[in-house]
Structures are given as structure tokens and as C-alpha cells.
Amino acid sequence: MTTAITLKDITVYPVVEQQGPFFDVMEFFPTLTKELLEENRSWLEPTFIDPVSGLLVLCVQSFVIRTPRHNILIDSCVGNHKPRPARPFWNMMNSDRFEKGLAAAGLTINDIDYVMCTHLHVDHVGWNTRLENGRWVPTFPKAKYVMADRELAYWTQKEKEDPSGVPWITDSVLPIVEAKRTQIVKSDFALNESIQFIPTPGHTIDHYSVLVGQPGHDALITGDMIHSPIQGRYPELGMRADYDSRQAGQTRRKVFDRFCDASTLMCVVHFPAPSTGRVRRWGDGYKFVA
Ligand SMILES: [Zn+2]
């Protein structure tokens, strides 16, 4: 089991929904060359690349932040009962892992005060809603769902143009808007001095990461600012679903440069468990250390 992270009076719990070898490495990183992959294979295997299948090992998870005042869920995985025909391993899931992970943090869906969506991709918004009598309703009855304004506008427009291309917006984002449960903010929003957003655009148009805690006792919940540590070594390496890979690379450099001499713990959604590390320089790039 993954363990909780304590930052003075704040506790961060990973809530894992899935982990496994899911994606072809070369497809996932379209500009990666075979030569560069081979050069790095020895340290990527077996944790980050599965030696048997050769596939990229990714985790799908949320982070729950318990503070003295609030319980906050950052991102909400894939969710149950959602038709995702394009992704067999996410299609019509029926799993109790998310709920069990929440319980391991001592919480139920009734205890969540805020759901913060770093961005509105399919594997980050799924548990926003659950099926009740054939309708998608907010999973967390008391929560406000915090979304960046330009991110929400972008995906709302996409859904209007072609709903079949973005089914997760239809079933996991728009029902939250219709239920008037969104809190729409700028991507540099701060809930208070211990919960602050950092704009990390590029992977999506208005992606944010969340800085949790106080200097010396803090963690950055990165969202999808980075997917695999090979993008630490080569910050310019884009992934196929990026909105703007060039900007995503600039964002990684800027953020890693800011934190590479700090004790700030990175909590990276898609890194395999324990999914955490501190950033340190590595040649012209960066690595993650315990
Ligand atoms: Zn993702």
C-alpha cells in the first residue's frame, strides 16, 4: 500500500484507481527516438517501462489533502460505468479501488469539501460524477468543484462542436456545471496560504498544479505537467495529447528550475507508486530522487 505524506498539520493521501503497463512508449512520446529510448532504458526499466511488454507503466490516481479545515480531492481518475470505447482498460469500469482508497484516508464521499481539477482530461474527471437512476450526478454531495476558467471554456466549446469526441466532458464535467457546483477560478487561484495553484499550461490550455503546505513542509501536486521521468531528463519531450508541447516543455523547465534546490515533494499523478520525489538537476535536465 502507498503511504501518506505528512506536511506539519496537513496530510496527503494517494488514492490509486489503476496502475499498469498501458501505453506504447513511442506512440505516447511522438518525438522520442529509438536511440534515445535505448540510451535510457536501463534506468526506466522495470519501474517506468515494463520489460515484458515494453509498455509505459502509468498510475491513475487522485491525491486527497486533509487539512485542519478542509478535505480536498485533487483530480478524480476515470470513474465507474463510463463508456470509453477508445480505451478498453477504461471502458465501463466497475471497480471499488477508488472508494477503498478514500476509505484508507479515513474519508467517504460526504467528507470532501473541494474537488480540484488540474485539467479536464478523461483520466482526471471521472469520479466527478456517478450514475444514479440513469443520471450523472455529482459524486461528492458537499463539494465545490474548482476549475480554471479557460480550461472549462475550451472543453465546453469542444463538447458543443463534437460531443462524441469528448464523452467525459458530457458525463463528468457538464453535469457539475448544470448542478451549479463549480467554482470557476484563474489558474493562479489560492484557496488560502496552504493551498495555492501554480499555472502549468501546455499539456492542456489552462492546466494548473497545486502547491500544498508551507515553505519547508510542502508538496506540489503536479497533475499532468509531466507523465514519465524521461520528461524530467528531457523537459522538451512532449506527449501525444498535449495542447501545446512547446509550452508544456517550457512549463516543465520553469517549474523544475524553481523547485530543484528545494525540499518540495513532487506528487506526480501518473508516476507508478509511490509517485513522489524531489527534483534535482541532471545534466541539462532533471531527475527525481527520494
Ligand atoms: Zn492524465
Side-chain angles (χ1 to χ4, degrees), residues 119 123-124 203 224 227 270:
H119 64 300
D123 51 325
H124 296 260
H203 180 58
D224 277 6
H227 289 79
H270 290 309

Side-chain angles (χ1 to χ4, degrees), residues 28 58-60 75 90 119 121-124 203 223-224 227 239 269-270:
F28 201 80
L58 292 188
C59 188
V60 177
D75 290 339
W90 290 342
H119 64 300
H121 273 166
V122 58
D123 51 325
H124 296 260
H203 180 58
D224 277 6
H227 289 79
M239 72 81 69
V269 172
H270 290 309

Side-chain angles (χ1 to χ4, degrees), residues 4-5 7 10-16 61-67 70-75 98 101-108 111-114 140 195 212 221 267:
I5 298 149
L7 309 164
I10 294 175
T11 313
V12 179
Y13 298 87
V15 176
V16 174
Q61 67 187 317
S62 304
F63 289 96
V64 172
I65 319 297
R66 292 192 67 170
T67 82
H70 301 117
N71 298 315
I72 300 165
L73 182 77
I74 302 183
D75 290 339
F98 183 85
L102 211 56
L107 300 172
T108 73
D111 299 315
I112 300 297
D113 302 298
Y114 290 96
F140 307 96
I195 306 287
V212 175
I221 316 299
C267 298

Side-chain angles (χ1 to χ4, degrees), residues 72-270:
I72 300 165
L73 182 77
I74 302 183
D75 290 339
S76 65
C77 304
V78 173
N80 273 357
H81 313 302
K82 308 217 158 167
R84 304 289 182 251
R87 294 259 175 265
F89 44 82
W90 290 342
N91 190 37
M92 300 303 282
M93 281 203 344
N94 189 2
S95 157
D96 60 1
R97 276 193 82 180
F98 183 85
E99 203 181 324
K100 280 188 172 159
L102 211 56
L107 300 172
T108 73
I109 54 173
N110 295 309
D111 299 315
I112 300 297
D113 302 298
Y114 290 96
V115 176
M116 297 180 170
C117 306
T118 63
H119 64 300
L120 302 181
H121 273 166
V122 58
D123 51 325
H124 296 260
V125 297
W127 279 107
N128 280 5
T129 59
R130 63 191 169 87
L131 204 52
E132 192 184 83
N133 302 321
R135 286 179 58 237
W136 296 109
V137 299
T139 301
F140 307 96
K142 296 174 189 159
K144 282 234 167 75
Y145 290 69
V146 188
M147 301 179 192
D149 55 358
R150 290 187 306 127
E151 183 81 11
L152 180 60
Y154 175 86
W155 291 105
T156 303
Q157 183 59 31
K158 279 249 181 219
E159 204 269 351
K160 209 180 267 180
E161 288 163 9
D162 177 20
S164 67
V166 289
W168 65 93
I169 301 298
T170 314
D171 60 38
S172 307
V173 176
L174 296 185
I176 302 298
V177 177
E178 278 148 28
K180 299 191 178 0
R181 301 291 290 285
T182 51
Q183 180 172 346
I184 301 169
V185 301
K186 296 287 175 196
S187 54
D188 63 354
F189 169 78
L191 180 66
N192 53 52
E193 59 176 16
S194 295
I195 306 287
Q196 300 180 35
F197 292 6
I198 296 178
T200 43
H203 180 58
T204 62
I205 191 167
D206 205 10
H207 188 287
Y208 65 75
S209 302
V210 186
L211 187 59
V212 175
Q214 300 284 315
H217 306 272
D218 59 358
L220 184 70
I221 316 299
T222 62
D224 277 6
M225 193 195 82
I226 178 168
H227 289 79
S228 164
I230 195 170
Q231 293 174 291
R233 182 158 200 196
Y234 310 107
E236 282 71 32
L237 187 63
M239 72 81 69
R240 65 169 171 209
D242 284 344
Y243 169 76
D244 181 341
S245 276
R246 197 165 160 262
Q247 186 184 39
Q250 290 166 346
T251 288
R252 277 188 287 277
R253 277 215 181 271
K254 194 173 158 189
V255 171
F256 294 154
D257 194 61
R258 170 172 167 184
F259 291 104
C260 70
D261 298 315
S263 62
T264 307
L265 194 67
M266 303 285 139
C267 298
V268 185
V269 172
H270 290 309

Side-chain angles (χ1 to χ4, degrees), residues 23-25 28-29 32 37 40-41 43-45 47-50 55-59 203 222-239 242 252 256 268-272 275 282 286-288:
F23 294 101
D24 182 273
V25 184
F28 201 80
F29 299 116
L32 182 63
L37 176 58
N40 290 277
R41 188 178 289 280
W43 67 271
L44 289 166
E45 286 184 351
T47 307
F48 304 105
I49 291 179
D50 171 37
L55 299 174
L56 195 62
V57 180
L58 292 188
C59 188
H203 180 58
T222 62
D224 277 6
M225 193 195 82
I226 178 168
H227 289 79
S228 164
I230 195 170
Q231 293 174 291
R233 182 158 200 196
Y234 310 107
E236 282 71 32
L237 187 63
M239 72 81 69
D242 284 344
R252 277 188 287 277
F256 294 154
V268 185
V269 172
H270 290 309
F271 283 15
S275 318
W282 186 12
Y286 305 87
K287 64 182 170 186
F288 295 82

